[in-house]
Structures are given as C-alpha cells and as structure tokens.
Amino acid sequence: MLIGWGFLLPMGALVARFFKHRPNGKWFQIHRICQVVGLLVATIGWVIALVNFTALSDVGQATHRHAVCGMVTMILGLLQPLNAIVRPHAPEEGEDKPTARLVWEILHKGNGYITLLLAVATIILGTTVLPEPSDQRTFQIAYGAGCIGVLVLAVIYMMVDKKKYPLA
C-alpha cells in the first residue's frame, strides 16, 4: 500500500496535472496506467490487511485510527474508477465545455486530491505503529524523503519536457 498510495497514485495525479503538453493524449495513457496499477496494488494490500489484521476492532488504539482512515481512503479511492466510467466526453476543439463535464472534472479532481491527502495521513498513522519505536522515525524519514524526492524529480522532468513539446 505504501507503493500504491505513496508513489503510483500521486505520480498519476502529477502526470494529469503537469504532463498535458504531450501530444496524442500521452498524459492520459500514463495517468490511467499509474492509477490502475496503484489502485490495484493498494487494493491487494487492503484485502491482505482486512484478512490478516484486527485493527478495526482495536478501538482507541493507534492501529484503529490507521484502519479507519485507511478504510475511508480506500473507499474514496475505489470510487475514482467508477467516476471515470461515467465521465462525460470532452468537448471538441473550439467548443465550450458542457456543465456536466465541468462538474465531473471538479468532482474527479477534488475526490482525487482529498483521497491523496487522506492517504498521506493514513501512511503517517500506519508508520507510527511499527513494532520497534526506534525504527519509526527512521522509516518515516527515509520513506517520506524517498517518495517526495522521486515525485519532485518527476515534476522537474515534466517541466523540462514541456519545453520540448509546447502546447500548440
């Protein structure tokens, strides 16, 4: 789940935000791959957690807070592909954007960003329940620096790439 929610799903959101300058809808293809693989990996981790752990019944414990936040994150995350299925088509070149498309974009982007923020909170809560307290801070710093570093490098790459493929 750390890979899905900490890297792949944020990467897909960044691609959708910063890579639209690429021709032939390349941004959408990369966005869809990142989101599908990221959500699939996260869903596998979620099922494993539901089957093997009892955190949802540990009311009052840190593990319970992590589990509840994780449940909300996963439910909102799983709504995104359903949202994509009902996506109104984009307007043709020169046409105005229909209201249904505008509303859909706001809901899709808003739910996606909120879910990613909840995922960050869930990851922080989850990494505070590591068995060995001395490992918690080290893991959090290493994981956070690694994910943020890779995502920042990806954004820098996309900005440099934009000079090669300016919007027409």
Side-chain angles (χ1 to χ4, degrees):
M1 292 183 82
L2 290 170
I3 293 168
W5 284 111
F7 175 69
L8 289 169
L9 291 160
M11 180 64 75
L14 288 172
V15 165
R17 174 66 182 92
F18 293 110
F19 216 54
K20 290 185 179 174
H21 61 276
R22 277 301 195 121
N24 304 321
K26 188 62 130 180
W27 75 269
F28 184 71
Q29 296 165 9
I30 297 169
H31 170 73
R32 187 171 43 196
I33 289 168
C34 285
Q35 301 313 88
V36 168
V37 173
L39 197 56
L40 180 64
V41 167
T43 301
I44 291 167
W46 186 43
V47 169
I48 290 169
L50 290 173
V51 169
N52 293 310
F53 300 105
T54 60
L56 284 170
S57 62
D58 296 340
V59 178
Q61 303 294 321
T63 54
H64 183 257
R65 289 186 290 277
H66 169 72
V68 170
C69 196
M71 289 292 285
V72 173
T73 301
M74 283 304 303
I75 290 166
L76 290 175
L78 290 169
L79 288 175
Q80 284 296 82
L82 298 175
N83 186 339
I85 289 170
V86 299
R87 175 184 77 230
H89 291 288
E92 295 294 325
E93 187 87 22
E95 290 183 4
D96 288 338
K97 194 178 290 187
T99 303
R101 176 69 183 206
L102 183 61
V103 168
W104 176 86
E105 286 180 4
I106 291 168
L107 289 172
H108 184 67
K109 291 175 186 178
N111 183 55
Y113 292 140
I114 288 169
T115 305
L116 288 173
L117 288 173
L118 280 172
V120 170
T122 304
I123 289 169
I124 291 169
L125 288 170
T127 58
T128 59
V129 295
L130 291 172
E132 185 61 42
S134 63
D135 293 341
Q136 289 174 0
R137 182 66 64 201
T138 303
F139 179 80
Q140 288 172 327
I141 291 170
Y143 175 75
C147 283
I148 290 169
V150 170
L151 294 172
V152 166
L153 287 174
V155 169
I156 291 169
Y157 169 78
M158 289 180 223
M159 294 172 130
V160 169
D161 187 70
K162 193 170 188 170
K163 292 180 181 179
K164 289 183 188 177
Y165 298 96
L167 286 173

